[in-house]
Amino acid sequence: MHLHNNHNLRRAAIAVTAMMSCASLWADITVSISAIPLKRAMKEIEKVSDLHFLYKSDLPGLNRHVTLSVKDASNKATLDKLFEGSNLRYKIEHNNAVVVYHESQPVSLEELMTDSSAQTIDITGVVSDASDEPLIGATVKVKGSSIAVATDINGRFSIKGVRKDADIEVSYIGYEPKELTVSHAGQYDIILREGATALDEVVVVGYGQQKKVNLTGAVTVVKAKDINGRPTGNAATALQGADPSLNLKMGSGGPDASASINIRGVTSINGGSPLILVDGVEMNLARINANDIESVSILKDASAAAVYGAKASAGVILVTTKSGQEDAAPKVSFDLKAGWMQSTVSTDFISSGYWSTYINDLFMNQQKGVDYTTYDEYDYAELWMRLDQKTESAERPWAIPTADNHYRYYANNDWYNHYYRKSRPMQDYNISITGGSKRINYYISGRAYIHDGNLKVQNDEFKSYSMRAKLDIKITDWLKYSFNTSFFESTYERSGSSDLNDFFYRSGNHALSSFPSTNPDGTSLWDISGIITRGTAKVGDGYNALMNYGKHKNKEGVS
């Protein structure tokens, strides 16, 4: 509320309605303004808070330019900074009414409210569409205040006590909003036009673009905001759940795994996957940085085949990457996502040497008529004495030498936690630079993704690096040059055999919890002949010794 000349209020009608919000006393304010008049700065603060400023229109200093930048600041901290270095003072009344005055001329809220009565007006009107049909339930709101009404069954509205020269906004679902200034009391007839925003939305189809209003096929558009914030290794997994008709099946849990994709279910007994185009070029989604994506159009029905032919029989996924903007200052963005992944299944396996040995002996005897191990009553007694022993002790070691220079083993070894991690950290670094002028715009991005794998005894690590550069140059009004290039490289390094799945399957074979991973002399447990009745058996089929040795390296890469 601001006064006109001769102590008249400019915003009297906001008055008591908005000022009774107690919560605003603790509301945080975030605003950034630079070198603008004080009276305009106060309007900007009103937009992002529940504060309402009251002052006389002839108050000196209203046109003084101020600069202010605060983030999550309290009302008091914001106002102190706003009026810092000036002769103006303020006081907050009724929680959010800010009375502004010169330090030599204090004024009260009651004085301002008394002078405001002559500056309020009553308005009525009708809201209709272009066909002169009344719009029922349209919203008529006085901007900068909490005053708002809805039109009745005849499209009529009535508001009392509106400040003179206030701006009102009229809105209705499916129609373009309209603003106007009410300079006098009386009737205001307002016509709203149908909004074409949804139908005018540009959708990438084929090797060009169309508006949704012109489409006859089934198309879903996934926007950047729906997928950019997801902590994932590639764009394929980022799309998971973004559209109900898009089904993704991961070949494995590895960060380098590609996804099997189908749209609206299996389309043929011979299988088939959708055609994937990134900026018009066929490409694997696993090699795309999800942060580079501007939009994804999913063409679901047979109409896509009319454009792309037989390859589109299972649908088409069209990815459009981000580009620079015209007349935009250079902008550098950096994003870091970090987290941990955990298994979704229980990993609380038996780690008791006694029960592990007993159960294997029991089942082997029932099936084959012979025990799985050669352990006798003395051995079981030793295992029983160590039943609750989580770590080896000098009083009861887990490996006892025998007369023939071998060992008898009485451990409580947790093989799962020996081989595998329970949590796997990941880090995702993204940086982009974008901008442009009237004739040139550019977008450059880079990404580094680092993900530790499942293996604990010898760490396995996945790393991927990607880069994209886009440049558009408008040479003349009819000639344009575009440059779009991308780079991708990934590596997965680990120990063990070349077949990781073989390790997952075989590393637990003949690995009783009664067996430790290493002997007292530091050698890996390998040969268990004389302990297991199957003479060729090795602990973990030899993977225990192979992983402890750690010299057999594998490196897989894609670029």
Side-chain angles (χ1 to χ4, degrees):
M1 289 173 280
H2 314 289
L3 288 179
H4 278 298
N5 294 330
N6 299 321
H7 306 279
N8 291 322
L9 281 177
R10 179 169 170 74
R11 291 195 176 181
I14 299 176
V16 183
T17 307
M19 288 192 289
M20 302 312 294
S21 172
C22 294
S24 63
L25 184 60
W26 298 279
D28 292 334
I29 299 175
T30 298
V31 67
S32 180
I33 53 182
S34 178
I36 63 174
L38 175 61
K39 59 183 180 182
R40 182 180 164 193
M42 289 189 286
K43 289 183 179 180
E44 295 299 320
I45 294 175
E46 286 181 337
K47 292 178 182 178
V48 297
S49 70
D50 287 335
L51 296 178
H52 295 282
F53 292 88
L54 300 93
Y55 54 83
K56 297 179 180 181
S57 60
D58 59 353
L59 186 66
L62 291 179
N63 293 318
R64 181 177 67 89
H65 282 66
V66 297
T67 296
L68 174 68
S69 180
V70 295
K71 183 177 181 181
D72 296 332
S74 66
N75 291 346
K76 184 178 184 306
T78 303
L79 296 175
D80 286 346
K81 195 169 183 180
L82 178 66
F83 296 110
E84 185 179 13
S86 73
N87 294 323
L88 298 180
R89 300 292 181 264
Y90 75 90
K91 53 185 175 182
I92 300 178
E93 299 192 21
H94 298 292
N95 296 328
N96 64 344
V98 184
V99 178
V100 183
Y101 58 92
H102 193 274
E103 60 182 3
S104 63
Q105 295 179 333
V107 65
S108 67
L109 176 63
E110 288 71 19
E111 291 180 74
L112 297 179
M113 294 295 294
T114 302
D115 288 342
S116 68
S117 59
Q119 295 303 315
T120 60
I121 57 177
D122 298 338
I123 62 171
T124 59
V126 176
V127 180
S128 60
D129 62 13
S131 301
D132 204 27
E133 292 292 328
L135 296 178
I136 305 170
T139 300
V140 183
K141 182 179 184 343
V142 180
K143 295 192 66 176
S145 78
S146 60
I147 301 175
V149 297
T151 57
D152 61 17
I153 193 171
N154 297 314
R156 294 185 173 276
F157 69 92
S158 176
I159 305 177
K160 294 183 178 181
V162 181
R163 70 183 185 275
K164 187 177 180 182
D165 295 327
D167 294 328
I168 65 171
E169 181 180 53
V170 184
S171 60
Y172 190 72
I173 296 176
Y175 290 77
E176 296 179 357
K178 188 171 185 177
E179 292 185 13
L180 69 155
T181 301
V182 288
S183 57
H184 58 85
Q187 176 88 5
Y188 289 86
D189 293 333
I190 303 164
I191 298 176
L192 297 185
R193 300 190 179 277
E194 289 187 14
T197 304
L199 295 179
D200 283 343
E201 180 180 353
V202 174
V203 178
V204 178
V205 291
Y207 292 93
Q209 296 178 338
Q210 284 187 4
K211 292 183 178 181
K212 274 190 175 181
V213 69
N214 298 325
L215 292 176
T216 57
V219 179
T220 294
V221 179
V222 181
K223 294 296 186 181
K225 62 182 178 66
D226 299 322
I227 57 178
N228 283 174
R230 297 187 174 188
T232 180
N234 57 62
T237 52
L239 287 174
Q240 199 161 24
D243 179 68
S245 67
L246 192 65
N247 305 302
L248 286 85
K249 181 180 179 182
M250 306 307 296
S252 71
D256 59 338
S258 296
S260 174
I261 304 174
N262 70 65
I263 298 174
R264 289 182 169 177
V266 179
T267 57
S268 169
I269 59 173
N270 298 318
S273 58
L275 176 65
I276 301 172
L277 296 176
V278 179
D279 290 336
V281 178
E282 192 169 354
M283 192 175 295
N284 189 332
L285 279 178
R287 302 189 183 187
I288 303 299
N289 179 4
N291 276 28
D292 286 343
I293 295 178
E294 180 68 31
S295 67
V296 179
S297 296
I298 304 169
L299 313 186
K300 306 177 183 181
D301 56 18
S303 63
V307 179
Y308 298 100
K311 280 191 173 183
S313 60
V316 184
I317 298 175
L318 303 171
V319 179
T320 303
T321 59
K322 295 177 181 177
S323 300
Q325 297 181 346
E326 293 185 1
D327 292 327
K331 179 181 178 182
V332 179
S333 299
F334 176 77
D335 176 67
L336 166 62
K337 291 188 286 287
W340 290 264
M341 299 183 68
Q342 290 183 324
S343 301
T344 56
V345 297
S346 173
T347 58
D348 188 18
F349 301 114
I350 293 177
S351 59
S352 164
Y354 178 90
W355 291 111
S356 175
T357 305
Y358 179 81
I359 291 171
N360 276 275
D361 278 347
L362 179 65
F363 277 86
M364 186 76 170
N365 193 286
Q366 288 184 344
Q367 294 294 322
K368 302 292 184 181
V370 61
D371 288 345
Y372 179 71
T373 71
T374 61
Y375 278 24
D376 55 21
E377 292 183 359
Y378 172 82
D379 296 315
Y380 271 108
E382 291 288 339
L383 287 170
W384 184 259
M385 287 188 292
R386 295 166 175 81
L387 186 64
D388 297 322
Q389 192 179 34
K390 299 299 182 183
T391 58
E392 187 176 11
S393 67
E395 293 79 12
R396 288 195 174 94
W398 285 0
I400 298 179
T402 62
D404 57 355
N405 295 323
H406 289 87
Y407 294 95
R408 298 294 277 185
Y409 301 106
Y410 310 114
N412 292 306
N413 189 20
D414 187 344
W415 281 104
Y416 182 88
N417 285 307
H418 170 73
Y419 283 131
Y420 306 114
R421 299 172 181 269
K422 281 197 172 180
S423 61
R424 301 173 290 280
M426 57 79 67
Q427 304 163 67
D428 190 1
Y429 303 87
N430 280 276
I431 186 170
S432 65
I433 305 173
T434 183
S437 62
K438 289 185 177 180
R439 293 196 173 272
I440 300 176
N441 64 72
Y442 55 88
Y443 174 82
I444 303 171
S445 72
R447 183 202 194 201
Y449 179 78
I450 303 170
H451 191 168
D452 285 350
N454 286 292
L455 301 183
K456 179 180 179 181
V457 61
Q458 293 292 337
N459 184 41
D460 59 327
E461 188 175 55
F462 174 80
K463 296 180 180 179
S464 73
Y465 304 94
S466 63
M467 183 274 292
R468 180 170 294 276
K470 296 180 74 173
L471 176 68
D472 293 313
I473 303 176
K474 188 177 181 182
I475 301 174
T476 68
D477 291 339
W478 52 270
L479 181 60
K480 180 180 179 182
Y481 171 79
S482 295
F483 173 81
N484 186 353
T485 185
S486 63
F487 164 82
F488 176 84
E489 180 184 65
S490 69
T491 58
Y492 179 41
E493 296 186 60
R494 57 182 176 79
S495 295
S497 67
S498 59
D499 189 344
L500 183 60
N501 289 328
D502 190 53
F503 166 74
F504 290 146
Y505 166 69
R506 299 176 61 184
S507 60
N509 289 347
H510 311 298
L512 299 180
S513 294
S514 55
F515 297 153
S517 178
T518 57
N519 290 307
D521 60 3
T523 59
S524 294
L525 199 60
W526 164 268
D527 188 2
I528 47 178
S529 59
I531 299 178
I532 291 183
T533 55
R534 299 185 63 181
T536 60
K538 302 292 185 292
V539 176
D541 282 353
Y543 274 102
N544 175 56
L546 181 64
M547 296 301 288
N548 285 342
Y549 184 58
K551 301 297 183 181
H552 195 281
K553 301 291 185 180
N554 297 278
K555 184 175 182 179
E556 303 168 5
V558 176
S559 61

